[in-house]
Amino acid sequence: MAQLHGILRSLAWDHSGPPGAVVDRLDDAMPAITTVPMATLVLALLEGSPHTGPWTLRWTSAGHPPPLLLTQDGQAQYLEAGQGLLLGATPGTGGSRPSAAQSLPPGSTLLLYTDGLIEIRGSDLARLRRHALALAHEPLDTLCDQLPARMPPGSTDDVALLALRLPSP
């Protein structure tokens, strides 16, 4: 993943198109310049004024679990648009990976996480959503500490959680 991370950063810096186009370029380059056969990722870009918004999330997913959006009014929505195949699943096709965009309301929380958080016996996206909603109004450090603790133990995969809370008006 370190190889892909460095290449992706370079490609994203060099390309101002939609996230799907950047990840297409990574997918095309993988077999030629890395030893990584397959991988998952989400490439997301948050656009908007840092303090006042409005904010728009633009993203693509290469076989990765969907981001989870928690709103101040108690709603939780998986952002399932922009889902595509794993990196390396169709090398060299020059295809067009999907990109998606979503307006993010003020005060909402966006969760990005690795599959190690949900791919555990007795766990699923519904369980993650339920626990995330219960913790949605907690400070971000509490949410990030408590959410993995509420999921069933036993993951053999890495578990990472990234949370972003937008300012309220």
Side-chain angles (χ1 to χ4, degrees):
M1 284 306 294
Q3 290 176 1
L4 295 181
H5 179 258
I7 296 166
L8 181 60
R9 285 184 61 167
S10 296
L11 292 172
W13 177 83
D14 185 50
H15 188 69
S16 61
V22 174
V23 175
D24 277 339
R25 293 178 67 207
L26 176 62
D27 209 10
D28 289 343
M30 269 178 57
I33 57 178
T34 76
T35 58
V36 179
M38 295 185 116
T40 67
L41 68 78
V42 169
L43 177 62
L45 172 66
L46 184 64
E47 298 173 336
S49 172
H51 302 291
T52 60
W55 299 278
T56 300
L57 180 71
R58 299 189 190 289
W59 79 97
T60 189
S61 174
H64 207 273
L68 179 58
L69 178 64
L70 307 170
T71 61
Q72 279 189 318
D73 63 357
Q75 301 296 311
Q77 170 188 357
Y78 283 105
L79 304 180
E80 296 179 306
Q83 294 293 110
L85 295 174
L86 280 75
L87 287 170
T90 55
T93 63
S96 181
R97 187 170 294 277
S99 293
Q102 171 84 34
S103 294
L104 302 180
S108 62
T109 302
L110 181 68
L111 299 176
L112 300 165
Y113 50 93
T114 58
D115 54 1
L117 187 63
I118 57 166
E119 292 180 353
I120 308 164
R121 177 177 225 117
S123 186
D124 58 20
L125 289 174
R127 181 182 211 135
L128 177 65
R129 181 176 184 252
R130 185 173 60 252
H131 289 306
L133 273 172
L135 295 164
H137 295 292
E138 296 291 337
L140 282 184
D141 56 347
T142 301
L143 185 148
C144 289
D145 287 343
Q146 291 297 312
L147 188 56
R150 291 185 179 199
M151 300 302 284
S155 177
T156 58
D157 201 353
D158 65 320
V159 175
L161 176 63
L162 175 66
L164 167 77
R165 182 162 295 145
L166 299 170
S168 296

